[in-house]
Amino acid sequence: MTLDTATPAAEPLAARIPAGFVIGAATAAPQIEGAAVVGRRTPSIWDRFAAEPGRILDGSTPAVTADHFHRRQEDVALLRGLGADAYRFSFSWTRVQPAGRGALDPEGAGFYDRLLDELLEVGVRPFATISHWDLPEGYERGWLDRETALRLGELAGLLGERYGDRVDSWITINEPATVTLNGYALGIHAPGDSLLFDALPTVHHQLLGHGMAVQALRAAGVQGAIGITNTHSPVSPASDAPEDQAMAALFDLVHNRVYADPVLLGHYPEVPGFLGDALAAFDAVPAEDLAQIHQPLDFYGLNYYMPTLIAAGSGSGESPDGESAAMSALPFRLLDFEGAPKTGFGWPIAPDGFGRALTEMRDRYGDTLPPVFITENGASFPDTIGDDGRVHDDERIAFLHDHLSAALAAVEPGGVAEGIDLRGFFVWSLIDNWEWAAGFTQRFGLVHVDFETGRRTPKASYEWLRAVLAARA
Ligand code: IFM
């Protein structure tokens, strides 16, 4: 496939990529694997949630998705064809541990043995996420229950023992902020609770699970690096009015800081007085828990998609990830970035927010911030296969070009986030997948997937990224 003349040239970007900088693509098990009833796999909270009427925009389920379980080798070949340095995937919790506790299921675990071996054979470094949103269905209260943290620690130890010789880098948990906000506060994601500020225990339990997982991986003697991934959104107030500023600070706190502060600094952020006791639960956290959470890390995984604009006062039930009646009970609302270009999801396209996200990480965490990987960045667009059999996703090419450029520029000498040791960048996503509550309505892939047949068609963005990777010195 040849690229259009308007496509950003590969060489100038390639020339700015430092030696050793890792470029890869990411996925997650519930979004691509399918094979929900193969072997001894049991249902996850997402299988149950998707079966409830009205939860998923197009009524779809994760039962088949991109059928990666049966097309694993084809997907590994796509990574190889791309020239990717690394691949980030997640384990399906209920495939490897169908009972949600106890020994790994040999058949389910065998799938990941094969995946890891095949990745290593073609020289693609495996980055493995242990928990990417799919808890066993039997964990009735999910992350509201402290026990779930122990279960994550146990699972991490078992995975570490089995795959510790092959996984390059471990990510304990993906985007705890999204899990708490969408899954427990707003009811948009599984398990579908709308608890607003009463969802806060799930912050602590996820972080505790992270700490326990780090300790279990180290006890298992894994060879790879260990980190955590969260999504960071730089927050701006809608105006200089003190109410807007206060609510922007609150959103920054509950979206960004309550996760990164304990992990990197060993304590929860100080809660501004005006918030009353909405976040008082964090003051009561025992010091031993904080010590468990504050584990030395080899890297920090940062996902960046978009900035957030916040105004005081309640608004509609619209959130970036779907409708939530609970949203209108919050003391703040998310505003549209009027005039900004948008992705298919309606998310603002703001590469300069990348610099801000990285600057905030450097300024807040300084020397306590380990090397950083961008573990996700990408965009959904309404891609279709044209009459010529190609997918001309020029908007995605521009998005990826501008975002990778912005991240590199931010950490270059003289850049706004100079000082951050940025080690790599993963595109979300390798292939089109099941986008949670949005079902199949949002395509994020470098590779188009026909969800009826499973057929893969590399998009123009895949060819463009391949050219960038090949043009590196
Ligand atoms: O698809 C998700 C992914 O699972 C977690 N990060 C954000 C992506 C896009 O919404």
Side-chain angles (χ1 to χ4, degrees):
M1 180 190 283
T2 49
L3 293 167
D4 299 332
T5 45
T7 304
E11 291 76 13
L13 182 59
R16 291 177 46 213
I17 299 174
F21 190 86
V22 173
I23 298 204
T27 63
Q31 296 180 269
I32 63 161
E33 278 187 12
V37 289
V38 166
R40 278 177 287 275
R41 184 188 181 279
T42 54
S44 80
I45 56 169
W46 273 96
D47 295 306
R48 181 186 61 198
F49 183 74
E52 294 171 14
R55 292 296 200 178
I56 309 297
L57 192 58
D58 58 5
S60 61
T61 76
V64 179
T65 62
D67 202 20
H68 166 75
F69 184 85
H70 296 111
R71 291 173 173 264
R72 184 194 70 244
Q73 289 168 304
E74 198 179 341
D75 292 338
V76 171
L78 283 165
L79 284 159
R80 183 187 198 180
L82 180 63
D85 302 318
Y87 174 51
R88 178 179 170 222
F89 69 95
S90 80
F91 295 102
S92 159
W93 192 321
T94 58
R95 192 179 305 289
V96 290
Q97 197 186 39
R101 57 177 65 225
L104 297 184
D105 176 58
E107 189 183 333
F111 172 77
Y112 299 101
D113 281 322
R114 293 187 285 283
L115 175 64
L116 288 168
D117 292 345
E118 287 159 10
L119 289 170
L120 292 172
E121 258 166 48
V122 297
V124 174
R125 291 163 59 177
F127 279 53
T129 307
I130 298 174
S131 171
H132 195 125
W133 303 2
D134 61 340
L135 293 180
E137 188 194 25
Y139 292 7
E140 277 174 19
R141 296 182 69 239
W143 288 110
L144 288 166
D145 197 344
R146 187 180 170 95
E147 174 75 14
T148 302
L150 276 64
R151 300 272 72 87
L152 179 60
E154 179 192 60
L155 177 65
L158 295 167
L159 296 176
E161 279 163 21
R162 182 157 185 138
Y163 308 113
D165 58 337
R166 285 165 288 169
V167 168
D168 180 281
S169 300
W170 295 87
I171 293 164
T172 53
I173 191 162
N174 179 70
E175 292 190 12
T178 314
V179 170
T180 294
L181 285 174
N182 286 349
Y184 294 87
L186 301 177
I188 299 169
H189 283 177
D193 293 338
S194 302
L195 301 171
L196 298 174
F197 288 105
D198 289 339
L200 289 174
T202 65
V203 174
H204 186 61
H205 297 153
Q206 289 186 87
L207 297 182
L208 198 57
H210 153 74
M212 290 177 170
V214 175
Q215 290 171 293
L217 289 169
R218 297 225 189 274
V222 301
Q223 289 170 17
I226 303 175
I228 185 173
T229 279
N230 203 13
T231 182
H232 188 102
S233 181
V235 185
S236 302
S239 76
D240 290 341
E243 309 80 62
D244 287 344
Q245 302 230 354
M247 286 303 137
L250 169 60
F251 191 81
D252 182 32
L253 205 79
V254 295
H255 192 281
N256 301 316
R257 296 200 34 214
V258 294
Y259 303 94
D261 281 21
V263 167
L264 297 172
L265 302 176
H267 55 77
Y268 281 101
E270 226 171 85
V271 177
F274 73 87
L275 282 177
D277 54 9
L279 306 186
F282 291 130
D283 296 338
V285 165
E288 309 83 73
D289 280 13
L290 288 168
Q292 296 244 47
I293 291 170
H294 186 211
Q295 295 295 317
L297 294 181
D298 302 312
F299 67 92
Y300 191 89
L302 186 89
N303 293 356
Y304 170 73
Y305 284 93
M306 65 189 138
T308 311
L309 189 61
I310 294 287
S314 55
S316 74
E318 251 180 73
S319 93
D321 295 302
E323 285 288 316
S324 159
M327 278 288 287
S328 45
L330 287 171
F332 54 77
R333 60 188 198 279
L334 277 64
L335 298 189
D336 183 37
F337 282 82
E338 277 172 27
K342 305 275 164 50
T343 70
F345 236 146
W347 297 353
I349 298 177
D352 51 336
F354 225 143
R356 222 185 118 195
L358 286 162
T359 308
E360 287 179 358
M361 293 303 289
R362 183 204 52 195
D363 293 351
R364 288 174 185 176
Y365 305 113
D367 290 346
T368 70
L369 183 66
V372 172
F373 282 91
I374 305 305
T375 38
E376 286 179 31
N377 175 252
S380 63
F381 292 106
D383 308 316
T384 50
I385 301 185
D387 293 340
D388 57 358
R390 299 171 54 184
V391 180
H392 298 270
D393 59 339
D394 298 347
E395 288 173 293
R396 180 170 294 98
I397 295 176
F399 183 100
L400 291 175
H401 173 273
D402 294 353
H403 282 75
L404 178 53
S405 263
L408 291 171
V411 300
E412 276 163 9
V416 290
E418 183 182 2
I420 287 198
D421 181 1
L422 187 63
R423 297 271 176 97
F425 183 100
F426 287 79
V427 174
W428 185 270
S429 179
L430 175 65
I431 54 178
D432 286 342
N433 53 45
W434 190 71
E435 178 54 30
W436 310 108
F440 294 120
T441 66
Q442 301 298 323
R443 293 181 176 273
F444 276 88
L446 294 166
V447 175
H448 182 277
V449 175
D450 178 329
F451 293 110
E452 296 292 318
T453 63
R455 182 157 184 266
R456 273 83 168 132
T457 307
K459 303 180 190 177
S461 56
Y462 175 96
E463 302 301 339
W464 171 80
L465 187 58
R466 174 159 76 174
V468 172
L469 298 178
R472 289 178 296 179

